[in-house]
Amino acid sequence: MTTTPDIWEPLEPALSVRQVLTLERVLAGEPEVVAGASHLDRPVRWVHVAEAADVGVMLSGGEMVLTTGVLLAGDEEKQAEYVRSLHRADASAVVLGLGRAFPAAPAVMRRAAERCGLPMVVLHRPFPFAELTEEVQSRLVRRKFAAVSLSEAVRTELTALITAGAPLQRLLDEVARHSACPVVVTNLAHRVLGTAGERPAVDDVLRDWERIARQAGGTEGDGWIRAELGGRGERWGRIVLCGYRGDTATGRLLADRAAEALVLHRMLGGGAACSWEEQSAQSLLTDLVSGVVPARQLLPRARAAGLPVNRRTFVPLVVRDGDTPRLDRLLRLLGLPGLVAELADGATAVLLSLPRDQDAGALAAHFAARLRTESGRARTVVAAADPRVAWDDVPAGLREARHVADAVADSAAALDLPPVVRLRDVHLRGLIRLLRDDPHVQSFAERELDGLLCETEEDLLSVLRTYLATGRNKSRTAQLHHVSRPALYRRLESIQVRLGVDLDDFEQAASVHIALLAHDAQQQ
């Protein structure tokens, strides 16, 4: 979708009293601030000309009121009440044109305005109020039109992305681009489900997210603008624009449009394979496993996702044949803080975060035993790395657990594994798995198995794999391949001829076995 560039530029803040006073037409009246100088950044919502003493009843807040004071001259009580009524109505400022009623700023009005914190400005030269109202009103109208145009353009673009099946992250990236500030989506417990924006700015927001979120939860100061997510009378989250630099009204429009899109996205994706919570955990753990992003940079995301990280013991696990929702439910049932995320090829990462005074090994074993009972699968593999006490060591631990899980995948020995499998339990298979990407290992495997690596020899390669895995047990191998012993002998003889080895020789058989393990590891 093509867009007009100026539509997407963040709007400047609404006109403030200070900005109005710098307009060329206003400068012609020689304005002077005589009270409330520390409040000149108040936004001006409208400009109103009023002479009546009870002007406050006609205002709704945010107006810059222009007056000549003709109805206030000679009555100091009316002058003070005029200022007080403006203050009660939350006016942004009062501008008094000198000449007709007052040759100078009346002291009573100045004192009242200073006490109320209401900016008071006097114009030393005659000035047509109509010019000021025309200038300011036209600017405000243009800004409101631009804000509405931006709102509708954002709605159109986000709806198009949803229709095209875009993921949550793509929507958040668009919202962050339009708002030019970090965007955070949370559940009602302030757990972060998604973020977008420039990474350093997002990390600054997430570094102490829970405290910041709760502190800013009730107000929209300092550019913190939020919109609730939910439907049918039930709230389930919120989206927050963090440090939005435009005016608050435009920020609310953007937040509301974004909230509408996110609710629609969630409704249409109700049957999706994973929830926003799962997507958030998956993104974090995938980044940890990959090592592309340094662990220290991911710490704010982990903390904001609800994972305890201070003075904890981290237990990296990878589960084979596990179900992500079941694993998540099991963690909650056992009261174990952690994150769960599906990786690939049937592997699911689980990162436990335990108090340092707890037995990490025993809790991991209990988790694995309950998982096998819950799933009813005796072959469910729970692989683990040794516990880590430093967050920076977690990525290496997750990769080690992944290596262990891969090393026992589809292995006949998996039935005899302990509840929690570690690197020491997979012996040679684990070592080969760790070294599978080494060019020397790859070359060795190709050289040793060269005679059996063409597609036509796949059956012989399978027989060799079973023969070596069973400890060169011919009877068991014949049984597993449903062939007679003489037929097996012929196949073994053919294998030895093609490879140029004697499988009865322990060293040659071991060499072929290692090469086959390396070959299989490289194929996964």
Side-chain angles (χ1 to χ4, degrees):
M1 176 182 297
T2 58
T3 56
T4 305
D6 61 341
I7 285 292
W8 303 117
E9 294 178 1
L11 297 179
E12 294 297 323
L15 284 176
S16 64
V17 175
R18 189 187 309 277
Q19 289 173 314
V20 170
L21 297 181
T22 62
L23 297 178
E24 187 175 347
R25 291 188 181 183
V26 179
L27 291 175
E30 297 182 5
E32 178 190 0
V33 179
V34 296
S38 60
H39 301 278
L40 295 180
D41 291 320
R42 285 183 172 183
V44 176
R45 188 183 62 82
W46 209 243
V47 178
H48 189 67
V49 180
E51 302 290 355
D54 58 348
V55 61
V57 299
M58 298 181 285
L59 307 179
S60 57
E63 295 91 350
M64 173 179 278
V65 177
L66 312 180
T67 181
T68 60
V70 292
L71 299 182
L72 304 175
D75 191 331
E76 293 187 348
E77 179 54 36
K78 279 187 178 182
Q79 295 168 20
E81 178 56 27
Y82 185 86
V83 173
R84 289 193 294 267
S85 69
L86 293 179
H87 172 65
R88 289 193 297 270
D90 198 25
S92 60
V94 58
V95 178
L96 174 64
L98 301 179
R100 291 189 61 187
F102 297 100
V108 172
M109 292 183 70
R110 290 177 59 177
R111 289 195 296 270
E114 195 64 50
R115 283 195 299 270
C116 294
L118 176 71
M120 179 175 176
V121 181
V122 296
L123 300 175
H124 288 278
R125 297 188 63 181
F127 182 83
F129 284 169
E131 290 188 8
L132 176 57
T133 56
E134 178 185 4
E135 175 77 11
V136 175
Q137 312 298 49
S138 64
R139 286 174 178 263
L140 292 175
V141 168
R142 287 199 301 271
R143 294 186 59 76
K144 288 189 176 182
F145 176 76
V148 172
S149 297
L150 173 61
S151 170
E152 291 308 307
V154 170
R155 172 186 280 157
T156 300
E157 175 134 341
L158 294 180
T159 302
L161 289 173
I162 293 171
T163 304
L168 171 65
Q169 189 60 53
R170 182 75 177 86
L171 269 65
L172 295 183
D173 288 341
E174 285 301 306
V175 176
R177 184 168 70 89
H178 303 328
S179 62
C181 69
V183 175
V184 177
V185 175
T186 76
N187 61 16
L188 296 181
H190 302 288
R191 178 174 175 176
V192 174
L193 307 180
T195 63
E198 295 184 1
R199 195 75 255 165
V202 172
D203 288 345
D204 285 343
V205 169
L206 296 184
R207 192 157 286 114
D208 196 12
W209 169 253
E210 186 170 351
R211 181 187 64 80
I212 294 174
R214 294 184 184 280
Q215 191 175 58
T219 62
E220 289 192 341
D222 299 325
W224 283 71
I225 299 174
R226 63 197 52 77
E228 301 298 327
L229 304 176
R232 299 179 181 177
E234 181 181 3
R235 293 188 302 117
W236 40 262
R238 58 179 59 88
I239 182 170
V240 187
L241 307 186
C242 308
Y244 179 70
R245 295 189 297 274
D247 66 281
T248 301
T250 303
R252 287 199 192 103
L253 281 175
L254 285 172
D256 288 344
R257 295 298 83 79
E260 290 173 3
L262 295 184
V263 170
L264 179 61
H265 181 275
R266 182 161 174 140
M267 289 173 58
L268 294 179
C274 57
S275 67
W276 288 359
E277 289 84 352
E278 292 166 358
Q279 291 179 44
S280 175
Q282 182 172 358
S283 173
L284 174 60
L285 291 185
T286 299
D287 285 346
L288 278 170
V289 171
S290 70
V292 174
V293 182
R296 189 163 298 278
Q297 292 184 22
L298 296 172
L299 189 59
R301 284 172 59 188
R303 184 182 288 113
L307 185 74
V309 295
N310 294 329
R311 298 188 59 78
R312 309 290 287 190
T313 297
F314 302 102
V315 183
L317 305 173
V318 171
V319 180
R320 278 285 179 185
D321 298 322
D323 177 76
T324 301
R326 179 185 286 115
L327 291 171
D328 208 21
R329 287 193 298 270
L330 183 57
L331 286 184
R332 292 196 296 270
L333 179 65
L334 299 178
L336 297 175
L339 296 177
V340 179
E342 184 176 349
L343 298 178
D345 302 325
T348 304
V350 180
L351 180 61
L352 301 181
S353 175
L354 307 174
R356 290 188 177 176
D357 59 353
Q358 293 187 351
D359 188 335
L363 287 174
H366 181 53
F367 169 78
R370 284 293 299 270
L371 175 60
R372 289 188 176 183
T373 301
E374 295 277 337
S375 65
R377 300 174 183 173
R379 288 179 61 87
T380 297
V381 173
V382 179
D386 290 334
R388 265 61 175 175
V389 295
W391 175 257
D392 287 346
D393 295 334
V394 169
L398 285 168
R399 289 193 290 273
E400 180 181 317
R402 178 69 182 274
H403 282 307
V404 173
D406 290 344
V408 297
D410 302 321
S411 170
L415 292 173
D416 301 323
L417 293 171
V420 178
V421 188
R422 302 183 186 277
L423 197 56
R424 61 178 176 269
D425 299 314
V426 292
H427 307 295
L428 178 61
R429 188 180 298 272
L431 175 63
I432 295 299
R433 190 78 193 187
L434 289 172
L435 299 176
R436 65 176 180 171
D437 294 326
D438 188 296
H440 295 91
V441 174
Q442 295 172 358
S443 177
F444 168 75
E446 291 285 331
R447 186 171 60 252
E448 289 289 303
L449 301 174
D450 182 58
L452 294 179
L453 292 182
C454 60
E455 291 184 8
T456 58
E457 305 298 342
E458 184 61 36
D459 182 59
L460 291 180
L461 194 66
S462 177
V463 170
L464 175 63
R465 184 181 292 109
T466 305
Y467 179 63
L468 295 174
T470 58
R472 295 185 294 174
N473 186 319
K474 294 182 176 67
S475 297
R476 180 61 176 157
T477 301
Q479 182 183 14
L480 290 173
H481 282 270
H482 308 288
V483 297
S484 64
R485 286 176 65 97
L488 176 65
Y489 294 156
R490 288 193 296 271
R491 295 185 186 185
L492 290 176
E493 181 63 29
S494 180
I495 290 171
Q496 293 181 104
V497 169
R498 282 168 171 75
L499 298 183
V501 298
D502 178 6
L503 292 178
D504 290 329
D505 181 89
F506 176 79
E507 184 174 339
Q508 293 183 56
S511 181
V512 172
H513 195 187
I514 292 172
L516 187 57
L517 290 176
H519 169 74
D520 289 345
Q522 291 158 19
Q523 303 308 306
Q524 297 177 359

